[in-house]
């Protein structure tokens, strides 16, 4: 496993503290629900989306405390999506981030409610963002996050994914599915940080957005590869689950060699998109994405 730099490790530590602070205490009613929320969010995951928020903000000269709430919000939406994706009505998985999925650790109804509550809390956090941010900036961020999480973003991608089980998709159809399902939140992570900068030049915004688009697709291609070549312990989720469920993947559609070439091409495009920007941590995240398992 390729290690992250100390700078990104510091951000990982920071977001863990922020998440712990913003999540309701398990001692507050309803206690079981709050316990399930904390179980699903804390002590697990690479925190890639919050890292993208901090790394993008750092490249634009934004202080970490201004980025805390957007970083936490995007992670809460991501975890909500994982809880719901794992449910019996969807992917019916038993393992997530190396431990039993929420509905296995608690029960199905509690898992559904935990996901619902995390999504609502995410939008609340945007409204409570740093006082440095204007009301207009917060509205842009709310609009961006709601679009990315909705039917034309992540949820829509999951709907396409479920409808594609057992079917043969073209490469373009598969790409469109993943641009929605995985890519939307990754792009949103970068854009939320960009919106903390008033009057950011359009050229820089477009560069960052294209970087995130390439990175989001690269992340999914790598996931498809690792689902075949890695193991359950390393992945923290059931190896081979997508293949077993009859889901279309890049290796199944274009072959493993072509999938690996596509992964490298997307990485190079992501790197090229950052030309002229002082964004070493964004470059590191792109490299980490394509080299998560050696």
């Amino acid at each position: 496993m390729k290690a992250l730099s100390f700078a990104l490790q510091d951000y990982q530590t920071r977001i863990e503290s922020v998440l712990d602070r913003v999540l309701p205490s398990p001692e507050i009613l309803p206690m079981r629900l709050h316990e399930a929320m904390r179980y699903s969010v804390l002590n697990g995951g690479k925190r890639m989306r919050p890292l993208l928020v901090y790394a993008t903000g750092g490249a634009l000269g934004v202080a970490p405390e201004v980025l805390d709430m957007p970083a936490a919000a995007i992670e809460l939406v991501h975890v909500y999506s994982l809880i719901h994706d794992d449910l019996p009505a969807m992917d019916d998985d038993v393992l997530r981030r190396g431990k039993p999925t929420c509905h296995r650790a608690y029960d199905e109804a509690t898992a559904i409610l935990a996901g619902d509550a995390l999504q609502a809390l995410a939008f609340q956090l945007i409204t409570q963002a740093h006082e440095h941010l204007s009301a207009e900036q917060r509205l842009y961020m709310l609009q961006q996050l709601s679009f990315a999480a909705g039917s034309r973003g992540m949820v829509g991608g999951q709907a396409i994914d479920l409808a594609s089980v057992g079917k043969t998709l073209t490469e373009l159809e598969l790409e469109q599915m993943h641009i929605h399902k995985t890519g939307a939140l990754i792009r949103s992570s970068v854009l939320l940080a960009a919106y903390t900068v008033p009057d950011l030049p359009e050229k820089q915004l477009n560069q960052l957005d294209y970087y995130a688009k390439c990175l989001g697709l690269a992340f999914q291609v790598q996931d498809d590869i690792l689902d075949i070549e890695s193991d359950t312990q390393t992945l923290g989720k059931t190896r081979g689950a997508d293949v077993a469920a009859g889901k279309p993947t890049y290796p199944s559609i274009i072959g493993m060699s072509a999938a690996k070439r596509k992964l490298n091409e997307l990485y190079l495009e992501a790197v090229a998109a950052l030309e002229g920007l002082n964004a070493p941590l964004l470059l590191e995240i792109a490299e980490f994405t394509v080299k998560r398992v050696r």
Side-chain angles (χ1 to χ4, degrees):
M1 179 73 74
K2 179 177 171 56
L4 292 171
S5 69
F6 289 122
L8 288 180
Q9 288 178 35
D10 285 344
Y11 283 140
Q12 282 183 322
T13 301
R14 183 182 186 94
I15 192 59
E16 293 297 334
S17 177
V18 173
L19 290 168
D20 181 61
R21 185 174 75 246
V22 301
L23 285 165
S25 165
E27 298 177 359
I28 297 175
L29 288 172
M31 292 180 286
R32 182 174 172 81
L33 174 60
H34 291 152
E35 182 183 308
M37 292 164 66
R38 296 179 70 87
Y39 171 86
S40 298
V41 173
L42 300 177
N43 303 317
K46 296 174 288 294
R47 309 300 189 199
M48 178 183 177
R49 290 152 191 82
L51 290 182
L52 281 168
V53 175
Y54 287 121
T56 302
L60 299 174
V62 181
E65 57 267 24
V66 176
L67 303 164
D68 285 340
M69 292 302 103
I74 200 77
E75 183 67 6
L76 294 186
V77 171
H78 174 55
V79 176
Y80 127 71
S81 76
L82 299 181
I83 293 173
H84 282 197
D85 283 1
D86 290 335
L87 288 168
M90 294 209 227
D91 292 347
D92 194 15
D93 215 333
V94 300
L95 196 66
R96 174 66 67 178
R97 293 176 168 176
K99 58 187 182 182
T101 49
C102 187
H103 70 275
R104 286 292 184 122
Y106 293 87
D107 57 72
E108 192 171 345
T110 300
I112 292 170
L113 293 173
D116 292 343
L118 289 173
Q119 179 183 206
L121 179 57
F123 291 100
Q124 178 184 336
L125 295 183
I126 296 294
T127 69
Q128 297 172 341
H130 196 274
E131 61 183 10
H132 171 81
L133 300 173
S134 68
E136 184 178 22
Q137 286 173 293
R138 297 177 204 214
L139 284 173
Y140 274 125
M141 294 164 75
L142 286 168
Q143 183 181 43
Q144 169 57 42
L145 184 56
S146 58
F147 184 88
S151 64
R152 295 171 67 185
M154 180 188 69
V155 171
Q158 176 68 354
I160 297 169
D161 189 16
L162 291 170
S164 301
V165 173
K167 297 181 180 179
T168 300
L169 301 183
T170 66
E171 184 179 354
L172 180 59
E173 289 172 331
L174 184 63
E175 180 173 312
Q176 284 300 311
M177 179 179 79
H178 289 311
I179 284 174
H180 288 76
K181 183 179 178 181
T182 304
L185 280 194
I186 288 178
R187 291 177 74 181
S188 189
S189 302
V190 171
L191 292 175
L192 286 178
Y195 289 156
T196 65
V197 180
D199 302 320
L200 182 69
E202 186 176 357
K203 179 183 177 182
Q204 290 188 21
L205 183 63
N206 290 338
Q207 283 181 269
L208 291 167
D209 187 38
Y210 190 68
Y211 159 85
K213 180 180 178 181
C214 294
L215 184 71
L217 197 53
F219 187 89
Q220 187 58 54
V221 175
Q222 179 69 306
D223 252 20
D224 286 355
I225 293 170
L226 295 180
D227 190 59
I228 296 171
E229 293 191 342
S230 190
D231 57 79
T232 296
Q233 183 176 0
T234 302
L235 292 173
K237 58 183 179 180
T238 307
R239 174 187 179 272
D242 290 343
V243 174
K247 289 189 174 186
T249 66
Y250 279 96
S252 71
I253 289 177
I254 63 176
M256 182 61 77
S257 296
K260 290 182 176 179
R261 286 196 300 272
K262 185 175 185 68
L263 175 64
N264 189 58
E265 289 167 1
L266 288 166
Y267 164 71
L268 293 175
E269 283 191 62
V271 169
L274 297 176
E275 184 178 0
L277 296 176
N278 183 20
L281 294 184
L282 290 178
L283 291 171
E284 183 184 344
I285 290 173
E287 183 180 5
F288 177 76
T289 296
V290 302
K291 297 181 180 178
R292 279 179 284 164
V293 175
R294 291 188 182 276

